[in-house]
Amino acid sequence: MRIGVAKEIKPQEYRVALTPAGARELVQAGHDVVVEARAGVGSAFPDEAFERAGATIGSVDDVWTEADLLLKVKEPIAAEYPRLREGLTLFTYLHIAADEPLTRALVDSGITAIAYETVETDRGALPLLAPMSEIAGRLSAQAGADHLEKPKGGRGILLGGVAGVAPARVLVIGGGMVGYNAAVIALGMGAQVTILERSVDRMRFLEQILSGRVQLLMSSALQLEEAIKDADLTIGAVLIPGALAPKLVTREMLTTMKESSVFVDVAIDQGGCAETSRPTTHDDPVYTVEGVIHYCVANMPGAVPITSTRALTNVTLPYIEQLAELGTVAAVQANPELARGVNVIGGKVTYEAVCEAHGMPYTPLTAALAAGVA
Ligand SMILES: NC(=O)c1ccc[n+]([C@@H]2O[C@H](COP(=O)([O-])OP(=O)(O)OC[C@H]3O[C@@H](n4cnc5c(N)ncnc54)[C@H](O)[C@@H]3O)[C@@H](O)[C@H]2O)c1
C-alpha cells in the first residue's frame, strides 16, 4: 500500500502523524511511505530521518494524489478540502460532529474518513485519545505552577513549598486519565493534592496506585464548595462521555476562592467545567474572572509536539499496520475497534452522533459496505 504523511497546515500545529520509527516498520512490511517535505520538522524529525528509515520525501501534491492511505494529525482545513477524493482513506483526528462544512466536504468527495477519536474498544475505551489526556493532565500541573508565579499574575506560591513552609494545595476535579496524570505531576512537585471523583471504583483504584498520597473525596456541589476555597490551583478534568462537561464551578464559587489562584480547565474541549470558562490559545492562554486566573487552552498537547507526536504514533501504528496490510474494507471488517472509527465512507455518514449533530441521514457501516460504497 502507498501511505502518505501530510504536513499539518493548521496554525500552531507542530505534530506529525508518523515517526521515522513508524515509517521504518511500514517500509519493512513492504509498503511505500511518502512523507511531505518538512512534515516532521516541528516534532524534531528532519526529512533525512524519514529517508534513512526508507521513506521518500514528496511535495504536498505527491502525498495527497498518490497515497491510498493518508495519515494526518488534525482534521483537514478548508484549504485542504479540494484534495479530498474517492479512493483515498484518511486516518486522523476529525471531530466532525462539531464541524458541518468538513462533514459535507468529506461526504461530497467520496473519501473514506476514519477518526482517531472514535476508534473504540469493546469496553468503551478510546485508545487514540488516551495519550493526549495523559499529556494534557501532566501539562495542567506544570501550567498551573507557572501561572501561580507572581510575575505571571499568580498568587506567588511555590507548588512544593520548602522545608518549614507549607506546599500549595491542588484540587483536581475528576480522577480519570487527565486527573490522575495531573495529580502525579503535582505530587511530584511536592504539592498537597485532593481529587474529587464521582466513581467509587475509580477512587479505590486511585487510592491503590497513588498509595494514599492524595486525599480522595466523593464529588458533590457541597464538597466542591468547601474544597475550592482552600485551593491555590484547581484543575478541571471531568468528562461525561458524549456530553458537554457539567458546569460544576459556578461564578459564585469563584468569589470564595483565593485571590490570584489559578484554575486550569482541561475539560474546555468539551465546553469547560466552569460557568466562566471559554477557550483560549497557547498565544494568549489566560484571562481573569473574579480574581481567579483561568487557563483554558483547548489543544494543550500541541505545546509539546516532540512528546505528543511520539505518544500519538505509539498508539496509532498498530491500526495503520492493519489498514496497510489488509486494505481499508477488510481491516474495518476484521477489527471492530477500527470499524467504530469510520465516520464517512463512499458519501455516507456511518457515525450516528455526527448524523444527529447535523441532521444528516445515518447509514450503518455494514449497510454501507454491503452496498459496495468503498
Ligand atoms: N484541553 C486539552 O488539550 C485536552 C486534552 C485531552 C483531554 N481533554 C479533556 O479532558 C477531559 C477529561 O478527559 P479524561 O481523558 O481524563 O476523561 P476520563 O473519562 O478518563 O475521566 C473523567 C473523569 O471524570 C469523572 N467525573 C465525571 N463527572 C464528575 C463529577 N461531577 N465530579 C467529579 N468527577 C467526575 C469520571 O468519573 C471520570 O473518572 C475531557 O473533557 C477531555 O476531552 C482536554
Side-chain angles (χ1 to χ4, degrees):
M1 187 177 265
R2 202 162 167 81
I3 302 164
V5 180
K7 180 170 165 36
E8 299 300 318
I9 57 172
K10 197 170 179 176
Q12 300 277 331
E13 183 53 66
Y14 302 105
R15 288 172 290 178
V16 61
L18 192 70
T19 59
R24 170 82 177 273
E25 297 293 321
L26 294 168
V27 169
Q28 267 180 0
H31 306 295
D32 285 340
V33 177
V34 50
V35 179
E36 189 176 336
R38 298 185 57 76
V41 168
S43 297
F45 294 128
D47 291 349
E48 302 75 61
F50 285 104
E51 283 175 324
R52 280 197 298 274
T56 51
I57 301 299
S59 67
V60 58
D61 289 332
D62 296 338
V63 169
W64 281 87
T65 58
E66 292 173 18
D68 307 306
L69 171 63
L70 186 80
L71 307 177
K72 270 178 61 55
V73 176
K74 295 299 283 184
E75 72 284 354
I77 61 174
E80 292 167 316
Y81 293 177
R83 298 188 178 279
L84 307 174
R85 62 176 167 83
E86 203 178 333
L88 181 65
T89 295
L90 173 67
F91 194 33
T92 189
Y93 286 121
L94 275 177
H95 295 287
I96 53 173
D99 191 343
E100 191 171 339
L102 174 58
T103 309
R104 298 213 177 268
L106 293 170
V107 168
D108 293 346
S109 70
I111 200 169
T112 298
I114 308 179
Y116 292 159
E117 73 277 5
T118 66
V119 170
E120 189 181 335
T121 68
D122 292 345
R123 303 181 66 184
L126 304 172
L128 306 190
L129 266 190
M132 295 305 118
S133 287
E134 289 177 272
I135 291 170
R138 288 173 182 232
L139 271 175
S140 68
Q142 282 182 207
D146 184 35
H147 288 282
L148 275 173
E149 290 176 19
K150 201 75 178 167
K152 290 282 175 76
R155 300 192 68 226
I157 186 168
L158 182 62
L159 227 53
V162 287
V165 181
R169 288 172 187 242
V170 175
L171 173 66
V172 181
I173 313 170
M177 190 65 92
V178 167
Y180 164 71
N181 281 280
V184 164
I185 296 301
L187 281 172
M189 287 176 160
Q192 189 185 322
V193 179
T194 299
I195 301 179
L196 297 190
E197 208 353 291
R198 232 177 31 164
S199 153
V200 176
D201 284 343
R202 182 69 188 170
M203 281 193 278
R204 288 197 183 110
F205 171 74
L206 290 173
E207 173 150 289
Q208 265 179 13
I209 57 170
L210 294 171
S211 320
R213 289 181 297 147
V214 297
Q215 192 177 21
L216 290 157
L217 298 173
M218 174 53 78
S219 181
S220 68
L222 185 63
Q223 190 66 71
L224 178 58
E225 267 170 32
E226 294 291 317
I228 210 165
K229 282 193 275 196
D230 294 331
D232 299 291
L233 167 60
T234 302
I235 295 171
V238 295
L239 176 67
I240 297 176
L244 283 177
K247 300 287 181 200
L248 303 176
V249 179
T250 61
R251 183 178 276 271
E252 205 181 325
M253 279 181 204
L254 296 182
T255 63
T256 70
M257 289 172 71
K258 292 177 182 171
E259 182 69 22
S260 304
S261 60
V262 175
F263 172 54
V264 178
D265 197 350
V266 187
I268 189 66
D269 63 340
Q270 300 291 333
C273 60
E275 280 177 0
T276 46
S277 295
R278 59 172 167 81
T280 59
T281 62
H282 289 293
D283 283 339
D284 190 10
V286 295
Y287 61 94
T288 301
V289 182
E290 304 286 358
V292 175
I293 299 167
H294 290 49
Y295 176 103
C296 301
V297 175
N299 64 331
M300 294 176 70
V304 288
I306 291 178
T307 309
S308 302
T309 287
R310 286 166 173 81
L312 178 63
T313 57
N314 284 347
V315 290
T316 54
L317 190 61
Y319 297 99
I320 295 169
E321 287 174 331
Q322 198 171 23
L323 283 166
E325 193 184 320
L326 301 178
T328 302
V329 171
V332 302
Q333 281 170 334
N335 185 347
E337 298 180 12
L338 259 181
R340 293 179 193 110
V342 179
N343 278 223
V344 177
I345 188 164
K348 310 276 184 212
V349 183
T350 54
Y351 201 81
E352 212 165 355
V354 173
C355 299
E356 280 166 17
H358 306 315
M360 294 169 82
Y362 166 63
T363 309
L365 180 62
T366 43
L369 292 176
V373 291

